Amino acid sequence: FGALKRAKGACKSDLQEQQGLPVRADVPLFGMISRLTDQKGLDLTVDCVDRVIGLDMQMTFLGTGDARYEEFLSDAARRHPEKIATTIGFDDALARRIEAGADIFLMPSRYEPCGLNQMYSQMYGTVPIVRRVGGLADSVIDASGENREAGTATGFCFDNYESDALLSQMQRAVRSFSDNDEWMKLVQAGMQQDWSWKRSASEYLAVYRRATEIHGS
């Protein structure tokens, strides 16, 4: 894990410096890139911000949307500049830095037909926290004991659309981050996922072949 850890650490320290956060490798950095709307789970997120601020962690937010969420996240950054950074607007370069530099990606969507950021995050070595709905349920494997043992775990999932459920996964991720070897296994498993069209095409082809065999019989 040495080379991976060093590369991830370089991206993280660059993001922390760019966002005005203390450069620390020993605390988990949560990232969120989103439209700031209820659909994306912002009502859950803002309810958790002040409840996790006592943990040894950092958060960085990027997005634009409902004024009440823009104002809350901007104010949270002013109140806790050593722990929270907020950028209101669209910034593709910063979005890539967050995907690459954050340790954990928040995506607690109310609904999500497909979703892309959870896949981007895994490719960048950033462990996602998602609500188990739509495409998020299909693309993130919860870090249960069984899945960790099998080496298939890639993130943290919850079912109920409640802030307590999101908070529980955030706390779970913070605890997991403290075990470096286990954390790097999650990172590596996510980076090994294949989201390419080559994979999708082969799966479609397998379905067509089965349909042809059934029709032929």
Side-chain angles (χ1 to χ4, degrees):
F1 297 133
L4 175 57
K5 185 177 180 181
R6 286 191 297 273
K8 187 68 179 175
C11 292
K12 180 177 180 177
S13 60
D14 177 76
L15 175 62
Q16 289 170 320
E17 184 175 356
Q18 193 270 344
Q19 291 290 83
L21 295 169
V23 176
R24 294 181 59 187
D26 62 322
V27 299
L29 173 57
F30 289 81
M32 187 174 197
I33 306 162
S34 180
R35 285 186 292 108
L36 305 181
T37 65
D38 287 346
Q39 186 250 314
K40 294 296 185 179
L42 265 294
D43 51 339
L44 304 188
T45 303
V46 300
D47 193 45
C48 288
V49 168
D50 286 332
R51 300 168 72 186
V52 299
I53 203 65
L55 300 177
D56 203 11
M57 43 72 74
Q58 298 173 339
M59 291 183 279
T60 181
F61 297 95
L62 169 64
T64 184
D66 292 354
R68 66 185 185 279
Y69 295 139
E70 292 184 0
E71 292 168 4
F72 178 90
L73 294 176
S74 296
D75 181 64
R78 286 190 292 270
R79 288 185 288 117
H80 305 285
E82 75 290 353
K83 288 199 170 185
I84 300 176
T86 297
T87 301
I88 301 300
F90 176 82
D91 187 328
D92 185 62
L94 177 56
R96 292 173 185 270
R97 285 194 177 96
I98 292 173
E99 289 283 15
D103 297 299
I104 303 158
F105 192 86
L106 294 175
M107 202 167 177
S109 302
R110 184 182 294 269
Y111 60 90
E112 197 70 60
C114 178
L116 294 174
N117 283 100
Q118 81 281 7
M119 292 186 275
Y120 297 156
S121 296
Q122 291 173 74
M123 292 175 67
Y124 277 107
T126 299
V127 179
I129 293 178
V130 303
R131 180 163 175 256
R132 199 159 11 215
V133 62
L136 303 181
D138 297 332
S139 53
V140 180
I141 301 171
D142 184 67
S144 65
E146 181 180 354
N147 291 335
R148 282 178 178 268
E149 187 173 345
T152 58
T154 62
F156 301 92
C157 307
F158 65 99
D159 295 300
N160 296 335
Y161 193 78
E162 301 171 351
S163 57
D164 283 348
L166 172 58
L167 177 64
S168 176
Q169 296 310 308
M170 294 176 73
Q171 294 169 330
R172 184 182 173 206
V174 171
R175 291 193 299 271
S176 182
F177 182 81
S178 65
D179 187 332
N180 184 67
D181 287 344
E182 288 301 310
W183 186 260
M184 293 311 295
K185 288 177 184 178
L186 279 179
V187 170
Q188 188 173 64
M191 295 182 76
Q192 290 173 342
Q193 299 302 300
D194 182 4
W195 308 114
S196 68
W197 278 111
K198 182 177 180 180
R199 171 195 171 188
S200 298
S202 66
E203 292 178 353
Y204 276 118
L205 183 58
V207 171
Y208 293 145
R209 283 174 174 164
R210 287 197 297 271
T212 301
E213 289 169 0
I214 293 170
H215 181 72
S217 63

